[in-house]
Every structure is written in structure tokens, then in C-alpha cells.
């Protein structure tokens, strides 16, 4: 068996149990957007050359929404650096932030509107923001 990056077997199991899609904040936001009559694609790459998969994509309006987890993306309000394996985690979170910025730039350069929502944000307020941008894009 190969060596694990995790600091313990418990940490490894916990990390592997994290969902890539259909998280509670994502489902709440999608439900709210759908109830407002907005239709979108889920968990897909918005364009060729972008490996990151967006949580919500409005293809015709060229709007892409990412629902970012506070831990994984280094939320300024809620991120707390783990006490063990600190070198690994600081590098990991930094790389995630750098990748987010690069993806934002690439999409914006291609004419997409990028909306990032923190998992702790009120889904109704986030849906308001997204709907307003969608209305602006389709008119």
C-alpha cells in the first residue's frame, strides 16, 4: 500500500468522504434558482481548456457559478489552518486559491461572468445576485 498524504487514517477517511458535487449549500442554491425559473447545467466545464468544473453554468448567458467551501478555498472569515500537517495544508490551500484566480481570469478573458459564492453565504442572497446577473446578460 502506498504512503498516504493524510496525517492519520481518520483524517484520510474524512477527506475521502468529502463530496465533489451536490453539497448542501450547492443544492440549496440550485433549488432556489430553479424555483425562480432559471435553468442551468450542473457540474460541468464551461469551456474547452478549463479543467475546473463549475457548480452551475448558464451557457447561453455565459455565467458560471462556483460554490466554494470555506476550508478548501481559504475563506477569510472561517478558514482555520489545521494544527497537524501544516506544510501540506498551507501549500494545498494556496494552490487552490491560485487555481481559482487563474480560472477566473481565463473565463473572464473568454467573455464569461464568474460568480463565486462562499458555502456560508445565505443562499437567497446568492440567488438574488445570480438572478440579477442572469437578467442583465439575457437582455
Amino acid at each position: 500500500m502506498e504512503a498516504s498524504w493524510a496525517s492519520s487514517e481518520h483524517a484520510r477517511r474524512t477527506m475521502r468522504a468529502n463530496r465533489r458535487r451536490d453539497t448542501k449549500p450547492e443544492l440549496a442554491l440550485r433549488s432556489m434558482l430553479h424555483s425562480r425559473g432559471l435553468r442551468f447545467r450542473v457540474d460541468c466545464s464551461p469551456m474547452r481548456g478549463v479543467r475546473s468544473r463549475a457548480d452551475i453554468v448558464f451557457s447561453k448567458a455565459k455565467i458560471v457559478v462556483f460554490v466554494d467551501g470555506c476550508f478548501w478555498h481559504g475563506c477569510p472569515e472561517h478558514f482555520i489552518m489545521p494544527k497537524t500537517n501544516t506544510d501540506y495544508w498551507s501549500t494545498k490551500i494556496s494552490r487552490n486559491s491560485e487555481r481559482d484566480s487563474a480560472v477566473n481570469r481565463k473565463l473572464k478573458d473568454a467573455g464569461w461572468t464568474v460568480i463565486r459564492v462562499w458555502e456560508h453565504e445565505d443562499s437567497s442572497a446568492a440567488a438574488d445576485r445570480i438572478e440579477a446577473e442572469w437578467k442583465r446578460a439575457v437582455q
Side-chain angles (χ1 to χ4, degrees):
M1 183 166 170
E2 76 181 64
S4 173
W5 46 264
S7 58
S8 69
E9 184 55 33
H10 179 265
R12 180 178 162 79
R13 280 195 312 268
T14 301
M15 300 297 291
R16 291 191 60 151
N18 282 306
R19 300 172 71 83
R20 185 184 84 176
R21 63 173 279 179
D22 298 337
T23 61
K24 286 182 184 177
E26 212 180 300
L27 291 173
L29 180 59
R30 287 185 352 216
S31 175
M32 208 158 272
L33 291 170
H34 195 271
S35 71
R36 295 177 184 203
L38 300 177
R39 300 300 180 257
F40 44 83
R41 295 175 62 209
V42 174
D43 187 40
C44 63
S45 180
M47 63 180 237
R48 286 183 189 264
V50 175
R51 286 189 51 208
S52 293
R53 298 175 70 84
D55 297 309
I56 300 169
V57 176
F58 298 91
S59 300
K60 290 180 183 165
K62 290 189 93 169
I63 298 171
V64 63
V65 180
F66 294 94
V67 181
D68 292 337
C70 290
F71 177 77
W72 296 106
H73 298 269
C75 171
E77 285 182 50
H78 299 109
F79 177 73
I80 298 171
M81 181 62 70
K83 302 223 184 313
T84 57
N85 219 355
T86 314
D87 290 340
Y88 171 82
W89 286 115
S90 62
T91 303
K92 172 75 174 157
I93 302 305
S94 293
R95 274 195 330 252
N96 288 351
S97 295
E98 290 165 9
R99 186 186 63 240
D100 291 346
S101 296
V103 167
N104 287 354
R105 249 188 331 276
K106 197 170 202 174
L107 288 169
K108 286 178 182 176
D109 289 348
W112 287 80
T113 298
V114 179
I115 300 173
R116 290 208 173 255
V117 177
W118 287 110
E119 71 175 327
H120 67 264
E121 278 186 62
D122 176 54
S123 50
S124 180
D128 289 345
R129 255 186 356 178
I130 295 164
E131 183 179 18
E133 191 60 42
W134 180 83
K135 285 179 178 175
R136 188 198 60 73
V138 296
Q139 291 179 4

